Amino acid sequence: QVQLVESGGGLVQPGGSLRLSCAASGSIRSIDTMGWYRQAPGKQRELVAASTTGGSTNYADSVKGRFTISRDNAKNTVYLQMSSLKPEDTAVYYCYTRGRVWGAITNRDYWGQGTQVTVSS
């Protein structure tokens, strides 16, 4: 299977920056997409940003121009650089990957445990 380990969450003041990291490990044959979702209290989980192995990226409108997703494919690691953070960015951020393990026929989705990001003065 695939394990995802996230790091980098915490408390930051409005206007500040944080960098999240997520490393995938396990019997990985291939990874297609890596990205981040978030879930605020009382709200549905939403896509923040995603990156395909081919180089395409996708961002939620609410974070465009403030967040940047990047990947180190050799390390199966995805990063989320968050800048100009706002209180409404407060949420649990979940790493996500779509990939295939050795012996599997199709891709499937894997999720990390989540890391808390709190934006508050």
Side-chain angles (χ1 to χ4, degrees):
Q1 298 301 312
V2 176
Q3 295 80 43
L4 299 175
V5 178
E6 302 135 329
S7 61
L11 173 65
V12 64
Q13 292 186 342
S17 299
L18 278 177
R19 188 191 194 210
L20 304 182
S21 300
C22 173
S25 62
S27 50
I28 299 169
R29 176 181 179 182
S30 62
I31 289 180
D32 176 34
T33 303
M34 297 190 81
W36 297 90
Y37 279 69
R38 69 185 180 187
Q39 188 167 19
K43 295 187 177 181
Q44 290 188 333
R45 190 174 295 190
E46 63 175 357
L47 174 69
V48 177
S51 171
T52 69
T53 300
S56 299
T57 57
N58 184 32
Y59 293 93
D61 288 342
S62 59
V63 307
K64 285 181 180 177
R66 299 188 299 121
F67 291 10
T68 302
I69 190 170
S70 61
R71 285 173 61 170
D72 184 336
N73 291 328
K75 296 181 179 180
N76 290 329
T77 299
V78 63
Y79 307 95
L80 185 68
Q81 179 66 48
M82 305 184 291
S83 303
S84 302
L85 283 160
K86 305 175 181 180
E88 50 263 44
D89 294 317
T90 295
V92 177
Y93 284 70
Y94 295 91
C95 178
Y96 148 83
T97 188
R98 176 167 294 167
R100 188 181 309 184
V101 297
W102 290 102
I105 298 174
T106 61
N107 288 335
R108 60 156 287 187
D109 296 339
Y110 298 90
W111 294 90
Q113 293 297 310
T115 185
Q116 177 69 47
V117 172
T118 302
V119 184
S120 175
S121 55

